[in-house]
Amino acid sequence: MGERIGVVGAGYVGLTSAACLARLGHRVSCVDTDAAKVGRLRAGEVDLAEPDLAELVAEGLAAGTLAFGTDPEVLADAELVVLCLPTPPGVNGEPDLDMLRSSLARLGPVLAPDAVVVTKSTVPVGTAPRIPGYLGRPDIAVVSNPEFLREGRAVRDFLHPDRIVLGADPPDSPAAHRVANLYAPTGAPVVRTGTASAELAKYASNGFLAVKASYVNVLAELCEHCGADVHDVTAVMGMDERIGSAFLAPGPGWGGSCLPKDTSALAYAAEEAGVDFALLREAVRVNDRQRTRMVRAVRLAATGRPDGELSGVRIGVLGLAFKAGTGDLRDSPAVAVATALARHGAEVTAYDPAVRSGVDGVQVVDDPYLVAKDAAACVVLTEWPEFRELDWRRLAASVDRRVVVDARNLLDPQSLAGAGFTRIGVGTTPRRP
């Protein structure tokens, strides 16, 4: 049997880490302050729409290698304790570490003398050296092990990572070796560095992706003005190995639980250090403007004017999650656009295969064909593949105006044209029937 591991926090990162570490042969106890959630997990009920996660939890429960609780006392015999706690943005983007600090204060009296604390939580640079103080345990070793899990692919990313980052002071400490051994079955390359570099690497990675995504959205706007097709332009770019094809798809903006938070935190860290990271600030500004641009596109499609009156106008929305493969609505650009339309007076009806409620001002339905009823425009805001397979002729029979704003460039223009729809994409010329 492998190590005895404690995981603190049962959110996306914590639950995925706990279930996957159990799959890798370790004995895992996962604790969370939410008693109701813990009760559901003990019964094998997983709230997260994450592929393969429910199966892994059930497997761990059945094998006795995975357990859930609310009392940190159960971690008294843990050899390694993995912190998977939220660090939401506070004022000016500074990460809020209150939950992390309070959890560590409760853990301090519990931990065994030779335990190692592993931080998967995304934390500001310089946090690792402070953790023994938060614990009240100067004897506890700390290793920074930032997560790079993508929602919708979290289990796959954990079990088949492209790299494992381990930060320790010094990098080759015995504690770092113990953490590296956890991941040995994955065969992934291990990057050993100091804690400051490991903590910054996570922010740097997400900040770069945000800049790249904002770049492409501005490029798409330029394509619309000069008659170019963003698909062709990005295809050429993606063939350059220095650029790569990932994050070259324009859309309604980037969002989710990580990119906005981590980009704000990186900008805050740069400001505190006296470093002018104007490029990052501009990426955030572009992202905010992209959401506004999508609202204007829908208003134009529905009323004929980018500032047209939407009061009482019906808009059908396909997609609310921040991306396909998850039901996560945190900082979702789809939700931002849908709620902005509602604030302008539109009657917004939305469907998402992983979302059933929880969007202010928006009627969420359980049938995609209901969004088309009397709609002056339909808009695709999340790139769910099943939207391509909808019967667009059936949708055409329900709408008031046959126009689709394809904010993800997901749909087949020919299929839409055959159903009588005008398609308005991002970075492309509108396609009419």
Side-chain angles (χ1 to χ4, degrees), residues 6 37 42 46 289 313 332 359:
K37 179 194 289 185
R42 285 173 169 169
V46 175
R289 186 168 66 86
V313 175
S332 167
V359 182

Side-chain angles (χ1 to χ4, degrees), residues 391-394 396-397 402 414-421 433:
D391 183 345
W392 285 92
R393 292 184 183 276
R394 179 179 169 186
R402 295 182 180 182
Q414 290 186 336
S415 296
L416 289 178
F421 278 98

